[in-house]
Every structure is written in C-alpha cells, then in structure tokens.
C-alpha cells in the first residue's frame, strides 16, 4: 500500500529530470517522486517535518538540519570527484559518475527499500474517541489529517457523530450529501460497490460529505460507517482513515475500536475528566499499549494536572496538546501545524 517517498533536489533541472526517469523505471508506479530545483523552495519545503524514504540532494543544498527529519537515506551528490563512502543513513557520491554506476552504488539502499516496502502495513484505521464531551476530538482529528498530508500521506476523514459540526472548521463550507450517495451508503453495508467520489469532499485530505440531518434519520448507523471504512481499507485508496467519534460508549463503538489499528483516547487534566476516563478503563482492555494511546488535549501548564494523581501510571500517554486560542482552533491548517499535533501524526505513519 505505502508508496516510496522520494525527493530529488538539484539546481540542474535536466539532471534531476533524468534521475526521475531512472527512478520511475526502477519503481514503476509505486513511488511518489518530487523534484526541487529552487534553493529557496527547498528550504521552505523542509521547514516542516517530513517523512521520506530517499532524499538525493546536491551537496551544495545540504543542511545539517535535514537529519532532524524522518528520512531513511540521504544521498549527497558532489560536484567534485569523491571516494564513495556508504553508510546506513546514506552516502556522498560523485554526481557525474554516470547513471549506471550511480544506480549500482544506490543498489544496497534500493534493495532494502523494496524489501521494507513489501512488509509495510495496509491502510491504518484510527479511531479518535473521548468519553468527555467537548474536549476537541473533531478539532484534533482534522488537525491530524492536515498534519498527515504534510507527511505525504493520503488521508480520509470520517465523522461518525450524529450531529456533525466539522464543516465549520473546513476552509470552505461543503455541500451536504445528496440522497443518491446516502442510498449508496445504505447499500454498501450489504457488500455492493463503494460510494463514488461525489460522496467525498477535498481540502488537502478527503472527507465524507456531511449529512444535512442526523445520519440516523436516514437509517445510517455507525455500523454502516465502519463497513465503509473497512472496505476503503481493503481498496488501498488511503494511507490512513481517521474516524472521529462521539462521546457515548456503545456496543457499536466497541466494535469500531476492535476494527481499528490505533485508538486515540482523548482526555484532559481536569479532575472530572479524569474520573470519566477511569470509568471508561473499567469497560475496555488497554493492555495493547501500541493500539490504545492517550492524548491530553487543551493542556495548560499553569493549571493543576489531575492526571498525575490518578492515571499516569495506568495509561500510555502519547502526547500533550497545548490549549489553542479560538482563532487557531478554527483553522484546520493552523491545527495541523502545531508541533504536538505533528509529533502525534508521526506516530501514525
């Protein structure tokens, strides 16, 4: 499912275009290859965290800060003859050694990349849930979608709430889902074809269009949306599907959690919120610390943190998301740019 993420950076556009052709021959259509020839754009591109399989870069563009990104291998191309020195994290090669020799030198990495690619996981289903109402599950879910897009992931957002407010956080107000698409969702649970693109909107990531009224008024339940997510998972359209859930804990919600590879449970530092989480823990099995991860939202350092007294020894607290002012919470791109949200997104790739 996962495509190789490759960036080729050199001021010589003809050279990197030739490199691109050779990589396309090697990887076929399973690689996403980006060419960068403008140094200013190169610096701008790496101002936000990136996750890449391979970066091939003219040595004149190299910056020490690149090591802070999640890059499997960095290959530096020298304009002057150098002796090749291969390391796990990359190497320096003479740029004009010839394409055949260059690719012979790259073979150890390319073979390793192909081997790792064969082992990569299928589409990740991520449930975002909190028993505490109004904690910001929709805000964080959309922010994660925006952050994952910055990590070169193709993402779908599925809002499963009975009252949907997420359109107010999108850059533009989307249309509501029409009757034909709603009927497709009802039929889809019985194994018919997936809804077409007309059922989805796009703002960097895809999202299922909102319902004009409560989904249950049309006969659409969480079971229908779980089936849709699972079938989209099998279709390999997306790297990640984020399912944003309402706060009630039901049998359907338990089924959804079982179907997901990751469950992000949102909590806060307030005493009453901690008590609700303690109640939830009596109803779910969180022994799988990789699957069940807890996130403290709207965290304020200057306020008392009741998590320390009650929960920190019992749960896998993955991240603290700082309290965001209202003007930042209302913009998906701003939420996705937050450092803590980006760190959390890294955990999902």
């Amino acid at each position: 499912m996962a495509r190789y993420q490759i960036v080729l950076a050199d001021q010589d556009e003809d050279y990197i275009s030739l490199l691109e052709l050779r990589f396309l021959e090697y990887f076929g259509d399973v690689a996403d290859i980006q060419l960068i020839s403008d140094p200013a754009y190169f610096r701008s591109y790496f101002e936000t965290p990136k996750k890449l399989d391979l970066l091939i870069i003219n040595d004149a563009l190299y910056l020490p800060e690149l090591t802070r990104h999640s890059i499997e291998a960095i290959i530096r191309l020298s304009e002057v003859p150098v002796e090749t020195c291969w390391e796990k994290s990359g190497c320096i090669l003479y740029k004009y050694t010839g394409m055949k020799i260059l690719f012979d030198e790259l073979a150890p990495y390319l073979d390793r990349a192909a081997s790792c690619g064969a082992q990569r996981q299928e589409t990740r289903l991520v449930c975002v849930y909190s028993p505490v109402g109004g904690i910001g599950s929709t805000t964080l879910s959309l922010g994660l979608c925006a952050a994952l897009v910055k990590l070169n992931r193709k993402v779908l957002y599925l809002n499963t709430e009975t009252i949907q407010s997420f359109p107010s956080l999108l850059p533009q107000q989307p249309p509501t889902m029409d009757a034909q698409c709603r009927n497709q969702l009802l039929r889809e649970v019985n194994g018919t074809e997936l809804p077409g693109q007309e059922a989805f909107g796009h703002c960097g990531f895809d999202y299922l269009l909102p319902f004009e009224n409560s989904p249950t008024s049309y006969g659409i339940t969480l079971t229908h949306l779980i089936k849709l997510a699972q079938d989209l998972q099998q279709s390999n359209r997306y790297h990640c599907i984020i399912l944003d859930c309402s706060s009630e804990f039901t049998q359907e919600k338990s089924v959804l959690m079982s179907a997901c590879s990751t469950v992000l449970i949102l909590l806060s530092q307030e005493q009453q919120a901690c008590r609700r989480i303690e109640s939830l823990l009596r109803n779910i099995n969180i022994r799988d610390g990789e699957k069940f991860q807890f996130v403290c939202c709207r965290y304020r350092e200057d306020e008392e943190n009741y998590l320390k007294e009650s929960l920190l020894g019992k749960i896998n607290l993955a991240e603290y998301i700082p309290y965001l002012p209202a003007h930042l919470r209302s913009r998906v791109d701003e939420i996705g740019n937050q450092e803590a949200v980006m760190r959390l997104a890294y955990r999902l790739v």
Side-chain angles (χ1 to χ4, degrees):
M1 163 59 204
R3 294 164 64 86
Y4 305 129
Q5 302 297 325
I6 301 172
V7 170
L8 308 177
D10 196 300
Q11 300 94 322
D12 187 338
E13 294 182 5
D14 292 336
Y15 183 86
I16 58 172
S17 295
L18 182 58
L19 265 183
E20 179 188 29
L21 289 176
R22 294 301 301 270
F23 274 107
L24 289 173
E25 290 173 2
Y26 187 94
F27 286 104
D29 62 354
V30 298
D32 290 327
I33 304 175
Q34 180 162 351
L35 309 185
I36 301 178
S37 58
D38 178 35
Y41 177 74
F42 177 83
R43 291 190 294 271
S44 173
Y45 179 81
F46 282 101
E47 283 179 354
T48 56
K50 293 292 185 289
K51 184 177 179 66
L52 304 172
D53 292 290
L54 179 62
L55 169 63
I56 296 188
I57 175 178
N58 189 298
D59 200 36
L61 293 174
Y62 180 78
L63 300 169
E65 304 90 272
L66 291 172
T67 57
R68 299 175 185 172
H69 298 267
S70 178
I71 304 174
E72 288 294 323
I74 300 176
I75 311 301
R76 297 160 62 178
L77 300 178
S78 172
E79 298 278 349
V80 298
V82 293
E83 183 176 345
T84 301
C85 178
W86 181 265
E87 298 177 350
K88 183 179 179 180
S89 60
C91 65
I92 300 179
L93 299 174
Y94 178 43
K95 177 178 175 179
Y96 302 108
T97 190
M99 284 294 167
K100 184 181 184 306
I101 298 176
L102 178 65
F103 269 73
D104 286 343
E105 296 284 0
L106 289 176
Y109 172 75
L110 299 178
D111 291 343
R112 187 167 67 250
S115 174
C116 292
Q119 302 173 15
R120 290 182 181 177
Q121 297 179 347
E122 61 183 3
T123 301
R124 183 185 289 264
L125 297 185
V126 179
C127 170
V128 180
Y129 169 74
S130 176
V132 184
I135 202 170
S137 63
T138 296
T139 301
L140 180 59
S141 295
L142 290 169
L144 276 175
C145 290
L148 285 165
V149 168
K150 296 177 189 298
L151 297 177
N152 299 311
R153 293 303 186 260
K154 189 171 184 182
V155 186
L156 173 67
Y157 170 79
L158 280 181
N159 187 288
T160 70
E161 298 175 303
T162 54
I163 303 298
Q164 297 183 329
S165 60
F166 77 92
S168 64
L169 294 172
L170 300 178
Q172 294 183 331
Q173 182 73 19
T176 55
M177 189 180 297
D178 61 29
Q180 181 179 352
C181 292
R182 295 198 302 267
N183 289 334
Q184 279 184 301
L185 282 179
L186 289 169
R187 293 194 301 270
E188 205 274 329
V189 78
N190 295 317
T192 56
E193 66 181 32
L194 288 166
Q197 285 302 314
E198 62 274 10
F200 302 91
H202 184 77
C203 61
F205 54 87
D206 288 351
Y207 55 89
L208 188 69
L209 289 176
F211 299 95
E212 185 173 6
N213 302 309
S214 170
T216 55
S217 68
Y218 306 114
I220 296 171
T221 66
L222 181 56
T223 298
H224 292 89
L225 298 176
I226 294 172
K227 180 64 164 57
L228 173 64
Q230 290 176 318
D231 286 349
L232 285 168
Q233 180 184 39
Q234 293 300 314
S235 74
N236 286 341
R237 290 187 191 178
Y238 299 98
H239 295 104
C240 189
I241 298 176
I242 304 288
L243 295 108
D244 179 10
C245 301
S246 54
S247 60
E248 67 276 4
F249 187 72
T250 63
Q251 181 62 34
E252 284 183 312
K253 205 69 60 67
S254 180
V255 170
L256 171 58
M257 290 181 180
S258 296
C260 290
S261 54
T262 301
V263 179
L264 297 179
I265 298 180
L266 311 188
L267 42 76
S268 69
Q269 68 198 89
E270 287 80 17
Q271 187 176 39
Q272 187 60 35
C274 291
R275 289 174 178 168
R276 293 185 69 89
I277 293 295
E278 288 177 326
S279 178
L280 174 68
L281 295 183
R282 291 192 288 270
N283 292 277
I284 61 174
N285 182 352
I286 63 165
R287 282 182 294 180
D288 186 347
E290 287 298 317
K291 176 170 182 171
F292 288 93
Q293 301 182 30
F294 291 77
V295 179
C296 181
C297 293
R298 301 187 177 184
Y299 177 68
R300 292 178 182 265
E301 290 186 351
D302 58 346
E303 294 185 0
E304 187 166 1
N305 183 5
Y306 284 94
L307 289 171
K308 294 180 179 179
E309 298 179 5
S310 58
L311 290 169
L312 286 188
K314 304 176 184 178
I315 61 174
N316 173 17
L317 188 61
E319 192 61 66
Y320 282 95
I321 307 295
Y323 178 85
L324 297 178
H327 72 282
L328 294 182
R329 295 199 305 271
S330 64
R331 293 182 55 188
V332 170
D333 56 339
E334 290 288 352
I335 301 165
N337 281 333
Q338 298 302 309
E339 183 178 348
V341 177
M342 286 299 302
R343 286 197 302 266
L344 192 57
Y346 268 119
R347 288 175 170 263
L348 302 179
V349 297

